[in-house]
Amino acid sequence: MAKGAENKSETKKTTSTTKSGKSSANGSSKTKSSTSMKSASTKSAKKKGSSRTKTEEKGNYGDKPLVEVGKKHVKVAGVKMKKKTALKIALALIAIVLVAAIVFVVVYLAKPDFKNAVREWWHYTFDKDSANNNGGGSNGGSNGTPIGESKGSLTITAINVGQGDAIFIELPDGKKMIVDGGENRNDNKKAFKEFFGAKGLLKSENNKSLVDYVVLTHTDSDHCGDLDYILTDIFAYADKIYVPKLRSNEYSINLSADYPLQVSSAYNNFLKAATNARKDDKNNADIKYLENKITIEGEGYRITMYCRNDNYYKAIDVKEAHDINDVSPIIVIECNNRKVVLTGDANASHIKTSSEKNFIEQMNGESFDADILKVAHHGGKDSSGIDFLNYVKCEYAIISVGGTQDTEGEYSEYSLFVSEEFKKVGAEFLLRPNKKYGHPSQEVAAIDGRLSQSGVQNLYVTWFCGNVTCNISKEGNISVMTEFAASNNDGVVVFVKIEATESGLLKSCDIIIVETRKEENQVEEI
């Protein structure tokens, strides 16, 4: 019904009713006429109501606004009410919202679990680098979300930094990530210059060189010692830097006194470099906490970091090595239907604070099958639990370790597991672990150790192999390149230098003795 017709009908109805009211005492005919008029009016109203109902079903109220304000009345969604009533309803709604907000804040502050859940929801809902995915599955996370097809390969290099970790990741979309930065050592700095220089990423030669993601797994100096150097001297820019929720003696990174203070010059120097790092000429790098579960997604890949929660950080004793080591997140990289698992210095399940156990619990029974493992804590005996190794099911493993072999007999000599192929033919490489820490341990890395027991087919140790580079092609094929390759020399495993020929092919050169790094090369912390 047209708007003008509606108004006219309402006017007639009012007039008829008024006349009927005045004439009600004059006789039945007028009463009958009034009844007839009233009946017609009622029919008209029903028709109009029916018409409005149809309009409302369409999600609007005809040409009228949702809220109409008159002199004495207010119409809300077509319902007429007095202004005082509307005001009361509005005040009641405001009061309900305020009470709900107060309750939310009280519970948020009083209940850490609720607080963590809210933070996790916020990050995964509104942070484009986070999503609530659990990883796992051949081509998607636990929620079945497909990763999509990548346009290139994934390359991961364990840079030989002696006793320590430094992992460089080149993603299919061209983005770059570095996980840890080794010990503060002159030969590590030299190694970084050579490695990144060959890729054209040195700041001194490329003032636009950018690392997109920097991750410090935990605060041990053999992981963060030269990460400040990477941020200040290798790359010109860094986009996002992920750090543990721990303060240093000079940098709080916006954490309150509820979080432990890690007094370490290596960690402090890293936080200084992170705080001053730039993502571009105008903006500082984003510093993010390693907390709960963080997901980074790109075209054809997904990186999920299974971190510790807020309560863990507040409760740890920074003087306890296990507590600090288990800050390490388990990082899963999915690409081209393959998975890579990085572990920092995570401890095995028999350690109370175990990060490996935390990962398995976060996976909540979901099936998991990975391919490449960066072995936790340099092959230490308190890491790489058999339950964890059986769960991730990797065929390739890398141990980043170095130092001076123990010749004094504190650690027993054992036959290092190199590959299933060498194991079958009885070829051995006799090893004494490094003198300072006993890494890699016999329990993990021996020919009958936990790695071999869990189905690992090939083990690469940076101590003897040098830089270890794993490539996963667009088709999902895995290739591993090392500076020194294991070779069977009449039942004795030796490591052979690999060099490129003019044609670009590789060849094995003369057998050489692999010199191990000496601890004296370490630079003293100031």
Side-chain angles (χ1 to χ4, degrees):
M1 184 182 292
K3 189 173 182 180
E6 268 191 11
N7 292 340
K8 191 173 181 181
S9 175
E10 287 178 2
T11 304
K12 284 184 178 179
K13 181 180 72 174
T14 305
T15 304
S16 299
T17 305
T18 304
K19 285 182 179 179
S20 175
K22 284 184 179 180
S23 308
S24 60
N26 292 335
S28 61
S29 62
K30 289 185 178 180
T31 303
K32 194 177 289 187
S33 173
S34 173
T35 304
S36 176
M37 293 292 289
K38 191 172 182 181
S39 175
S41 175
T42 303
K43 288 180 181 179
S44 175
K46 284 182 178 179
K47 286 181 180 179
K48 187 172 77 171
S50 174
S51 175
R52 170 163 285 188
T53 301
K54 289 179 180 178
T55 307
E56 288 174 2
E57 287 173 357
K58 295 178 182 178
N60 57 61
Y61 296 92
D63 296 327
K64 295 185 179 182
L66 185 63
V67 179
E68 295 180 84
V69 181
K71 290 183 178 180
K72 294 183 178 181
H73 296 86
V74 177
K75 276 189 177 182
V76 180
V79 180
K80 187 176 180 181
M81 62 183 73
K82 291 183 179 181
K83 279 189 174 182
K84 288 185 178 179
T85 305
L87 181 61
K88 287 179 181 179
I89 292 174
L91 290 174
L93 290 173
I94 292 171
I96 291 170
V97 171
L98 287 174
V99 169
I102 291 170
V103 170
F104 177 86
V105 171
V106 170
V107 174
Y108 181 83
L109 296 175
K111 299 287 186 180
D113 290 340
F114 178 73
K115 183 177 181 179
N116 291 335
V118 171
R119 284 182 172 181
E120 185 172 351
W121 171 82
W122 178 270
H123 285 309
Y124 299 159
T125 304
F126 298 107
D127 188 341
K128 67 181 180 180
D129 287 329
S130 297
N132 193 13
N133 299 315
N134 287 326
S138 63
N139 196 34
S142 63
N143 57 5
T145 305
I147 297 174
E149 184 179 348
S150 75
K151 293 183 177 180
S153 62
L154 169 72
T155 302
I156 298 173
T157 301
I159 303 172
N160 182 19
V161 291
Q163 173 70 27
D165 274 10
I167 314 294
F168 184 63
I169 302 157
E170 298 166 274
L171 298 162
D173 58 3
K175 290 187 176 181
K176 300 166 183 64
M177 181 178 198
I178 189 158
V179 180
D180 293 335
E183 187 71 78
N184 178 18
R185 297 162 58 109
N186 289 330
D187 49 0
N188 284 347
K189 290 178 175 63
K190 181 181 177 181
F192 289 141
K193 279 189 174 181
E194 290 177 357
F195 178 80
F196 291 109
K199 295 180 177 293
L201 294 174
L202 283 184
K203 177 181 178 179
S204 58
E205 300 171 1
N206 177 4
N207 60 9
K208 297 296 183 183
S209 66
L210 166 72
V211 57
D212 299 275
Y213 308 106
V214 178
V215 179
L216 174 63
T217 59
H218 63 297
T219 61
D220 280 358
S221 62
D222 60 340
H223 291 252
C224 69
D226 257 341
L227 205 48
D228 62 327
Y229 174 77
I230 290 172
L231 286 172
T232 57
D233 288 63
I234 299 296
F235 290 98
Y237 301 107
D239 190 3
K240 293 179 175 64
I241 303 174
Y242 293 87
V243 303
K245 292 187 77 172
L246 297 171
R247 299 173 296 134
S248 77
N249 49 316
E250 292 183 20
Y251 295 89
S252 67
I253 52 174
N254 294 322
L255 295 173
S256 69
D258 293 335
Y259 296 89
L261 178 67
Q262 176 63 287
V263 180
S264 159
S265 59
Y267 182 52
N268 190 74
N269 290 339
F270 161 71
L271 287 185
K272 179 181 178 180
T275 302
N276 293 319
R278 312 281 293 180
K279 66 163 57 180
D280 53 43
D281 292 334
K282 296 181 179 180
N283 303 292
N284 286 344
D286 295 328
I287 295 180
K288 296 176 175 288
Y289 302 131
L290 287 171
E291 182 179 20
N292 298 322
K293 184 167 59 179
I294 301 167
T295 302
I296 300 170
E297 291 194 350
E299 190 171 353
Y301 66 86
R302 177 183 296 136
I303 303 170
T304 308
M305 295 186 275
Y306 297 85
C307 312
R308 307 315 298 257
N309 62 27
D310 190 66
N311 289 339
Y312 181 85
Y313 281 109
K314 289 180 177 178
I316 65 174
D317 182 351
V318 294
K319 295 180 181 179
E320 287 292 330
H322 287 323
D323 285 19
I324 290 297
N325 287 339
D326 279 320
V327 166
S328 301
I330 303 298
I331 303 173
V332 178
I333 305 171
E334 300 171 81
C335 182
N336 299 334
N337 291 321
R338 298 287 190 176
K339 291 188 184 71
V340 180
V341 180
L342 309 179
T343 54
D345 278 0
N347 281 312
S349 295
H350 70 277
I351 302 296
K352 183 179 179 181
T353 55
S354 173
S355 185
E356 291 182 0
K357 183 180 180 181
N358 177 66
F359 165 71
I360 294 173
E361 289 175 349
Q362 284 196 55
M363 295 303 292
N364 197 28
E366 181 183 337
S367 62
F368 193 86
D369 188 355
D371 304 281
I372 301 170
L373 172 70
K374 198 292 295 183
V375 178
H377 202 190
H378 323 290
K381 63 183 178 62
D382 285 333
S383 295
S384 303
I386 193 64
D387 57 338
F388 175 78
L389 295 175
N390 285 338
Y391 183 68
V392 298
K393 305 181 193 70
C394 292
E395 290 76 38
Y396 302 87
I398 303 167
I399 297 179
S400 183
V401 67
T404 303
Q405 289 194 56
D406 174 31
T407 57
E408 298 175 3
E410 182 178 352
Y411 300 104
S412 300
E413 185 178 63
Y414 66 88
S415 179
L416 177 73
F417 175 73
V418 177
S419 71
E420 189 64 27
E421 179 185 352
F422 287 174
K423 180 180 177 179
K424 286 179 180 178
V425 298
E428 290 189 300
F429 179 83
L430 296 178
L431 171 70
R432 286 189 182 273
N434 66 24
K435 183 177 179 180
K436 192 171 183 180
Y437 300 105
H439 295 159
S441 68
Q442 181 173 350
E443 292 86 342
V444 171
I447 204 164
D448 57 352
R450 294 197 288 265
L451 290 173
S452 177
Q453 292 173 26
S454 67
V456 170
Q457 299 293 305
N458 295 277
L459 174 63
Y460 304 92
V461 181
T462 58
W463 199 357
F464 311 111
C465 295
N467 293 348
V468 179
T469 299
C470 301
N471 180 271
I472 299 174
S473 71
K474 183 180 177 181
E475 296 73 28
N477 299 321
I478 297 175
S479 60
V480 181
M481 176 66 65
T482 61
E483 294 180 281
F484 300 91
S487 178
N488 183 0
N489 185 20
D490 294 331
V492 177
V493 175
V494 293
F495 289 88
V496 178
K497 177 71 174 176
I498 300 296
E499 290 184 351
T501 65
E502 291 181 0
S503 64
L505 301 175
L506 300 174
K507 68 174 183 178
S508 298
C509 299
D510 294 335
I511 295 172
I512 66 167
I513 298 173
V514 179
E515 294 183 0
T516 59
R517 296 183 176 217
K518 297 181 179 180
E519 299 297 331
E520 288 75 17
N521 267 342
Q522 182 172 335
V523 177
E524 291 186 3
E525 294 182 358
I526 299 174

